[in-house]
Amino acid sequence: SHPPYFLLVGIPGLEEEQFWIAFPFCIMYAIAVLGNITLLLIIKAEPSLHEPMYFFLAMLAFTDLVLSTSMLPKMLAIFWLGSWEIGFLACLAQLFFIHTFSSVESGVLMAMALDRYIAICRPLQHSSILSVQVVVALGSLVLVRGVLLVSPFCFLLCRMPFCQHHIISHSYCEHMAVVKLACGDTKVNVIYGLFVAFVVTGFDIILISLSYTMILRVVMRLSSTEARLKAFSTCASHVCVILAFYVPGLFTFLTHRFGQSIPPHIHIMVANLYLLVPPMLNPIVYGVRTKKLWDRVVLLFQQKGT
């Protein structure tokens, strides 16, 4: 009952413009790859950066590399080479990696919010609470959570009949886009998809909100204006990254289920940017706003210049 392959149409309604749309997407991907690999190399090479905040940042950089690489090469093949076909198992693999590492990214952002809370609200206990072992355990936990929650997507799709439907109105294999092609009862798939979204996104957003609420309360009690500004500056980059990840992600999730009036090309464009903008922005935001990282980057370029 499985088709040997699916056809990815790219961006419905913008098929003629896809060739040119691919160029900015390719530039964004190149910046994401270069920026995140640079972050990983700098954090690995610099002993002074072997702290919880930078370990979480390294996890975020690795996650962004996997996320963007899971979808963009195939998307460029569609836009530039007309390679619309993707095998059934390859489609499930792409779906698995995209959704698993979206969940991992959400979990890492939540862990980074907890790190900021401990650093600002309990600075004397920061090193004892967030030891290297705890950081590794948190990273492993969010990875295992993603794998365990997303794997049933693939198993449920394997048991679904697809009849003759094999054209996916999307640029990559997204869970709900594939579910819509099934000709059997998809109620379980839809309910489980909602469950995963609320468990992952709901839990992480609640913890992030609580962390920043408590941070705000502590910061507002500080008597020094300079200390307040420093604390706000420390959290500003993380808040920017959170907004860049969750806003388009929630838009894509809600549009799939309730946004029938939204034009398909707008929905798919936002879904593509959801997997490209955060990986591109994260190394730029953290590299510019984190002094230790920025100083190391400047030093690296100075050494190469001499």
Side-chain angles (χ1 to χ4, degrees), residues 3 12 22 24 41 59 72 112 129 133-134 138 150 159 169 192 202 250 265 300 305:
L41 292 176
M59 293 178 197
L72 197 88
M112 292 174 80
I129 294 174
Q133 292 80 4
V134 172
L138 279 173
V150 173
R159 59 177 277 276
S169 298
Y192 184 71
L250 289 172
H265 64 275
L300 183 67

Side-chain angles (χ1 to χ4, degrees), residues 21-98:
I21 292 172
F23 285 97
F25 281 0
C26 187
I27 292 170
M28 292 166 71
Y29 177 64
I31 295 171
V33 170
L34 180 63
N36 286 297
I37 288 178
T38 302
L39 273 185
L40 287 170
L41 292 176
I42 289 175
I43 292 170
K44 182 178 183 296
E46 182 56 50
S48 66
L49 299 180
H50 293 175
E51 299 174 1
M53 174 183 172
Y54 300 103
F55 287 142
F56 287 131
L57 186 53
M59 293 178 197
L60 190 66
F62 177 76
T63 303
D64 284 337
L65 284 172
V66 176
L67 258 183
S68 53
T69 303
S70 296
M71 52 82 75
L72 197 88
K74 178 59 182 176
M75 189 189 300
L76 293 180
I78 296 168
F79 291 177
W80 282 341
L81 306 176
S83 177
W84 298 288
E85 291 186 9
I86 183 169
F88 181 79
L89 293 179
C91 184
L92 291 186
Q94 187 185 54
L95 181 153
F96 173 80
F97 278 102
I98 287 174

Side-chain angles (χ1 to χ4, degrees), residues 10 16-17 24 29 40 42 53 65 109 143 145 160 164 196 211 225 247 264 275 294 304:
E16 297 297 323
E17 293 81 9
Y29 177 64
L40 287 170
I42 289 175
M53 174 183 172
L65 284 172
L109 290 174
L143 178 60
R145 180 188 71 169
M160 296 298 300
Q164 300 301 313
V196 171
S211 297
T225 304
V247 171
L275 297 183
W294 181 246
K304 286 192 174 182

Side-chain angles (χ1 to χ4, degrees), residues 132-154:
V132 174
Q133 292 80 4
V134 172
V135 171
V136 171
L138 279 173
S140 303
L141 188 63
V142 297
L143 178 60
V144 170
R145 180 188 71 169
V147 171
L148 291 179
L149 287 175
V150 173
S151 294
F153 285 164
C154 301

